[in-house]
Amino acid sequence: MNYGGTAIMTRLVDKVAIITGGTSGMGESTARRFAAEGATVVLTGRSEEKGGQIADELGDRGVYLRTDVSVPDEVEHMIKWTADRFGRIDCLFNNAGAGENVDSIEDVTADGIRTEFDLLVTGVLLGMKHVVPIMRNQGAGSIVNNASIAGKGSVYGPLVYSAAKAAVINATQWVAMELAGQGIRVNSISPGAVYTPIFAKVWDPEGKDPKTTEKKVREAFANMVPVGRAGEGEDVASLLVFLASDESAYVTGQDIAVDGGLTTGVTWAQKQQTMSTLLSAMQD
C-alpha cells in the first residue's frame, strides 16, 4: 500500500481512532493515513457532505459522524457511539478548531471568547473526560490534542486563539500526569506554518482567487520556515501515526512542534546574512 508515494506499514491494524475535525486539513490527512495504516477511523466534523465523501473513499476503514465539539452533549455522544459500535477506542485525536483573527485586547468580546474556548478548550477537555473511562477499562489508549505554536508565544497567532492553545498544552500535560501508569498516554502537537484551507479563508475570506491565495500563503511560509517550505497535512499525519501506535509507548505529557524549525531559531545561512548586514552597517 502507498501513501503519498511512500510505502506504508500497517502500524495501526485493529485500532479504532476518533479524529475530530476530520473533514479537512490536518484532520482529513490524518484520517486517510490512519486508514492506510490499518485503523478503523471515525471522522467527525460539521461538514456532512465532505465527511460522507471521505468516509466513502476510505471504505470499510472509515465512518463519518456529524459532531460539533463545542456542544457538550455531542462530544459525549461521539465517544459513546464509537465505543458501542466498535467495542473500543484506541486513539482520540482532538483536532477540531478554528479561530477569529482578533489581535488586540481592546477588540475581544465576551461572546467571542466563549465561542472560541468552547471549541478549542472545552471540546478537548470533554473529549478526554468521556474517553478516559473506556481507555482505562481497555488498559491502553492514546490521546493526542492539537495545540499550536501559537500557544507558545505572542507572535504566532491571534490573541484568544493563542490563549486557548496555551490552555490545551497545559491541560495535556496535567491530564497526562493524572493518568500516568494507567496505560493511557496523553500528548499534544503544535503545528506551525502548516498549510490548510483555513489560511485561505483568513487571507481571502470571500474566496475570490483561492489558487493565488494558496500560492501566496505557501510562499510566505516557505520564507519564514528554516526548512524552506510550508508544512503539509501529511507531515502532521506522520507524527500522529507514531503517537497513536504502540511505538510511542514511552512518550506521554509531551508537546511536539511540527513547524519546520520555526520556533527554534534561524538557520546558519540566515544568521550569517544578519551578521553581514550588521557589519556593513557598522562600517558605514
Side-chain angles (χ1 to χ4, degrees):
M1 186 180 295
N2 288 287
Y3 177 83
T6 303
I8 293 298
M9 297 173 62
T10 49
R11 289 182 285 171
L12 302 180
V13 170
D14 296 330
K15 293 190 181 296
V16 176
I18 298 174
I19 300 175
T20 71
T23 59
S24 67
M26 290 177 271
E28 178 182 352
S29 295
T30 302
R32 293 185 184 279
R33 180 65 181 273
F34 274 27
E37 293 278 3
T40 297
V41 181
V42 177
L43 58 115
T44 77
R46 294 176 292 188
S47 177
E48 295 184 44
E49 181 178 354
K50 187 66 184 296
Q53 174 192 331
I54 297 170
D56 287 344
E57 292 173 4
L58 297 182
D60 59 4
R61 292 291 181 196
V63 60
Y64 168 72
L65 178 66
R66 190 193 186 288
T67 305
D68 182 344
V69 298
S70 67
V71 180
D73 288 347
E74 294 193 22
V75 176
E76 183 176 10
H77 173 72
M78 172 185 74
I79 300 298
K80 185 178 185 303
W81 183 90
T82 302
D84 288 346
R85 176 159 179 172
F86 298 105
R88 62 186 299 110
I89 300 173
D90 298 285
C91 178
L92 170 63
F93 180 27
N94 282 311
N95 167 70
E100 297 295 327
N101 192 26
V102 178
D103 285 323
S104 171
I105 187 62
E106 296 180 75
D107 294 331
V108 301
T109 65
D111 285 344
I113 294 169
R114 278 191 292 268
T115 297
E116 220 159 329
F117 267 70
D118 280 348
L119 175 62
L120 298 175
V121 181
T122 306
V124 170
L125 290 171
L126 291 180
M128 291 194 286
K129 168 187 171 67
H130 294 301
V131 84
V132 162
I134 294 165
M135 290 182 170
R136 183 182 290 119
N137 288 338
Q138 297 168 180
S142 174
I143 299 171
V144 184
N145 299 320
N146 199 348
S148 169
I149 62 170
K152 296 174 175 289
S154 61
V155 299
Y156 299 116
L159 171 58
V160 180
Y161 179 85
S162 298
K165 291 302 187 178
V168 169
I169 294 170
N170 185 277
T172 296
Q173 295 169 344
W174 202 102
V175 176
M177 294 302 94
E178 178 187 355
L179 301 176
Q182 299 182 42
I184 305 171
R185 295 172 290 109
V186 188
N187 295 285
S188 61
I189 63 168
S190 282
V194 176
Y195 180 81
T196 68
I198 193 173
F199 288 105
K201 292 180 181 178
V202 171
W203 288 32
D204 182 20
E206 296 180 5
K208 294 180 178 178
D209 191 353
K211 289 186 178 181
T212 299
T213 301
E214 178 177 347
K215 182 180 179 182
K216 289 181 177 179
V217 174
R218 288 183 178 280
E219 288 176 350
F221 284 172
N223 290 330
M224 291 165 51
V225 175
V227 300
R229 69 169 175 87
E232 305 292 345
E234 289 78 7
D235 294 313
V236 173
S238 293
L239 176 59
L240 260 294
V241 170
F242 169 70
L243 291 174
S245 75
D246 296 337
E247 297 169 15
S248 60
Y250 204 55
V251 180
T252 194
Q254 303 303 305
D255 179 70
I256 304 173
V258 191
D259 67 353
L262 181 60
T263 53
T264 302
V266 297
T267 65
W268 181 250
Q270 290 170 325
K271 186 181 294 185
Q272 292 289 85
Q273 180 62 44
T274 300
M275 291 302 299
S276 176
T277 301
L278 287 172
L279 288 172
S280 296
M282 292 171 64
Q283 291 171 357
D284 291 342

